[in-house]
Every structure is written in C-alpha cells, then in structure tokens.
C-alpha cells in the first residue's frame, strides 16, 4: 500500500493505492504528509496578545536535548520528513543549537519560526551561521504582522540574505489572517479574521495533517493548542501512522470535527483595543 494511503483523508477515494507518489510531479509539495509543529520552549522575548500558546519572558518550559533525540526518533519511525519548529522564541532555550540540529537530522525540510529578536546578539548570529552552514534543510520563517513588534525583521532579513540563509516573510495581509486564532492569550485579546466567517484553521487542506509536539514530548491533535492529548513520543504507540489507519487514537478525525475554533469565534467577546499589542 502507498504510504500516504494510510493517513489519506480523501473519503471519496475508492481505489486504495491508486496514487503514484514515486512518479507524481507534486509529490514534494503534497500536503498528505504528517507535518508536526515542535515547540521547544514557551519562553519568548515578546508577549503578544494573539499568542495561541500564551508565551512570554516569564515562561520556563524548555525542551531537553534528550527529548529532542526521542522526538527525532519518533519522526523517523513514522516517516515524518517535515517539521515546523517554534517557541516561544527558539533561542530562549539555552540548548537550542543542539536541539534544532538533532530535530532536523534526516529531515527534508525544517521551518524555524522567529520574531527576529536574535539579530541584536552576535553570539546567536554566529551560532546561526554555523548551524545553517552545515544544515541546508533549515530555513527561517520571520514573523511580520500587526501583533509582533517587528523591530528587527527588516535588518534580520537583510543579514540572512547577505549570508545566503534561506528565509521567508509572510506578506502583511496573509499574516493577519494566518496568525490570529481564538486560543491561548487570543481568547481575551481577539481580533476577527477570515476564520470566524468561513471555517476552522485546521480544516484548511494544507493543515489537516499537522499536529503538536511540546517540550516534554506530549502529542496533541490540535497543532496550536494542548487539546486532544494523543500520547507521548516515548510511548509504545505502534507507530503514529497506524493510529491514523486503525483509528486507535483520535488524531485527524478529532481535528476535522472538533469545531472548537468555530464555537469560540461565535461566542467570544471581541475585546480589540488600539495601541501596542506586543511587549
């Protein structure tokens, strides 16, 4: 059977194994691949009103190097090749260099989300040069929206470009729609977006196969909150793929039917305030 058939959500497909992944020209960008968000710390240099994890400078959750090894083993065992690594802010974890290096071992693409506050630290920039110089699967995603301070985004982007380090910046319009969900701190600091009109965030086809792994290795079906606990990367869980195929864990089905975002959008009191939204 085709690997992707084990987790495919296309219920209209009645010909199991009919996809030709090896010969498909879109195989590299196909969204039918498990793609976890891996959070390595809740500590951050900013305290944004929209943050789904309620991160701040006072938070103390930190992933260990040993747990990073367990997460990498879990990913390889379950044929996961793409990661979204974030915090908090990644460099707030003192072991971030080793952790990111370990998490990205044998991956094909690793997205590292950042607010760019690292730009003021020469030590961090040196570590970035060393790490990205030997690991070409890594690339930066620079947050740039109406919620972060955006203080160093432009200068960080120029520096990355000068040093031939891959990065992307969302355009302003996309950022407003893609970064606000009624989770975490945004439950009380909410500004409506396209999702309160049309659908839940996770029903976007490109996000159907995403989920969350946090600092201690716990796995959650919702990629942006600790909802629908599924187990731990160190548990004896068959494989993560078999939990999809045999439905022994409420992974994808719960994401598709939970409706939490929709209900929160409908009943949440909108408390938008003018002024600074990030400190």
């Amino acid at each position: 059977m085709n690997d992707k058939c084990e987790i495919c959500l296309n219920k209209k497909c009645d010909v199991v194994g009919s996809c030709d992944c090896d010969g498909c020209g879109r195989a590299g960008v196909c969204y039918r691949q498990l793609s976890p968000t891996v959070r390595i710390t809740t500590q951050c240099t900013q305290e944004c009103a929209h943050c789904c994890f309620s991160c701040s400078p006072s938070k103390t959750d930190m992933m260990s190097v040993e747990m990073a090894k367990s997460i990498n083993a879990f990913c390889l065992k379950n044929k996961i090749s793409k990661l979204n690594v974030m915090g908090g802010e990644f460099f707030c974890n003192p072991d971030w260099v080793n952790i990111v290096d370990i998490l990205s071992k044998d991956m094909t693409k690793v997205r590292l989300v950042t607010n760019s506050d690292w730009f003021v630290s020469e030590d961090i920039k040196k570590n970035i040069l060393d790490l990205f110089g030997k690991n070409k699967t890594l690339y930066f995603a620079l947050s740039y929206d109406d919620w972060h301070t955006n203080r160093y985004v432009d200068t960080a982007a120029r520096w990355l470009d000068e040093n031939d380090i891959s990065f992307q910046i969302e355009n302003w319009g996309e950022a407003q729609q893609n970064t606000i969900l009624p989770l975490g701190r945004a439950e009380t600091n909410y500004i409506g977006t396209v999702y309160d009109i049309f659908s839940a965030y996770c029903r976007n086809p490109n996000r159907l196969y995403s989920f969350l792994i946090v600092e201690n290795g716990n796995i959650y079906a919702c990629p942006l909150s600790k909802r629908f606990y599924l187990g731990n990367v160190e548990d004896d869980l068959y494989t993560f793929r078999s939990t999809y195929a045999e439905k022994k864990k409420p992974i994808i089905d719960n994401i598709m039917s939970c409706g939490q975002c929709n209900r929160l959008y409908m009943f949440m009191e909108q408390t938008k305030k003018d002024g600074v939204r990030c400190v």
Side-chain angles (χ1 to χ4, degrees):
M1 181 186 294
N2 190 319
D3 284 340
K4 291 186 178 65
C5 286
E6 297 179 26
I7 61 169
C8 182
L9 303 178
N10 183 4
K11 301 186 184 302
K12 296 180 180 180
C13 178
D14 57 1
V15 187
V16 176
S18 61
C19 292
D20 177 21
C21 293
D22 292 333
C24 178
R26 299 188 69 256
V29 295
C30 178
Y31 62 79
R32 294 181 179 89
Q33 302 178 58
L34 295 174
S35 180
T37 288
V38 181
R39 195 182 71 190
I40 69 172
T41 180
T42 54
Q43 191 171 112
C44 190
T45 54
Q46 301 183 27
E47 191 169 349
C48 299
H50 78 311
C51 184
C52 59
F53 297 130
S54 299
C55 299
S56 74
S58 63
K59 292 297 182 70
T60 58
D61 301 291
M62 299 286 173
M63 181 176 291
S64 68
V65 171
E66 291 304 311
M67 181 51 67
K69 293 177 182 177
S70 294
I71 293 171
N72 179 256
F74 166 86
C75 290
L76 295 178
K77 178 181 180 182
N78 292 286
K79 301 180 182 180
I80 293 168
S81 61
K82 298 179 181 180
L83 300 180
N84 184 50
V85 179
M86 63 186 303
E89 183 60 24
F90 71 90
F91 66 83
C92 290
N93 188 318
D95 294 319
W96 75 266
V97 177
N98 288 332
I99 289 172
V100 173
D101 193 32
I102 291 167
L103 289 175
S104 59
K105 181 182 178 183
D106 296 323
M107 296 291 110
T108 61
K109 185 178 292 186
V110 178
R111 178 176 182 260
L112 187 58
V113 181
T114 178
N115 61 26
S116 302
D117 283 356
W118 49 262
F119 182 75
V120 297
S121 170
E122 294 302 321
D123 288 340
I124 295 176
K125 285 193 285 187
K126 181 180 182 303
N127 286 330
I128 289 173
L129 289 173
D130 292 342
L131 181 59
F132 280 70
K134 67 178 182 179
N135 191 334
K136 297 303 181 182
T137 65
L138 292 166
Y139 73 99
F140 272 118
L142 309 185
S143 298
Y144 182 66
D145 51 49
D146 202 22
W147 301 90
H148 294 84
T149 65
N150 305 316
R151 188 175 296 122
Y152 303 110
V153 175
D154 290 337
T155 49
R158 285 196 295 270
W159 182 84
L160 292 171
D161 190 46
E162 291 167 359
N163 287 281
D164 197 28
I165 294 175
S166 298
F167 69 95
Q168 66 177 45
I169 307 176
E170 285 186 305
N171 72 55
W172 193 270
E174 289 176 345
Q176 307 320 304
Q177 295 180 355
N178 291 341
T179 58
I180 313 301
L181 296 170
L183 302 167
R185 198 175 289 120
E187 289 192 41
T188 54
N189 296 290
Y190 171 70
I191 291 180
T193 67
V194 67
Y195 295 109
D196 60 358
I197 302 173
F198 297 110
S199 183
Y201 175 89
C202 298
R203 291 179 184 173
N204 181 319
N206 291 322
R207 301 187 180 99
L208 284 176
Y209 295 81
S210 60
F211 57 97
L212 175 66
I213 304 175
V214 298
E215 295 81 5
N216 63 0
N218 282 348
I219 308 167
Y220 299 90
C222 179
L224 294 172
S225 71
K226 292 168 68 173
R227 288 178 174 159
F228 307 116
Y229 173 73
L230 303 175
N232 188 280
V233 296
E234 295 181 338
D235 291 344
D236 185 16
L237 288 176
Y238 294 69
T239 69
F240 203 56
R241 283 179 176 270
S242 69
T243 66
Y244 276 75
E246 300 173 26
K247 301 187 185 302
K248 293 184 180 297
K249 295 287 182 180
I251 302 174
I252 286 298
D253 283 350
N254 268 14
I255 292 178
M256 295 187 73
S257 63
C258 85
Q260 290 286 346
C261 291
N262 300 73
R263 286 193 288 272
L264 286 167
Y265 283 134
M266 290 172 63
F267 298 110
M268 187 187 308
E269 178 183 0
Q270 298 190 17
T271 57
K272 176 178 178 179
K273 296 180 179 179
D274 294 332
V276 178
R277 304 173 200 166
C278 198
V279 295

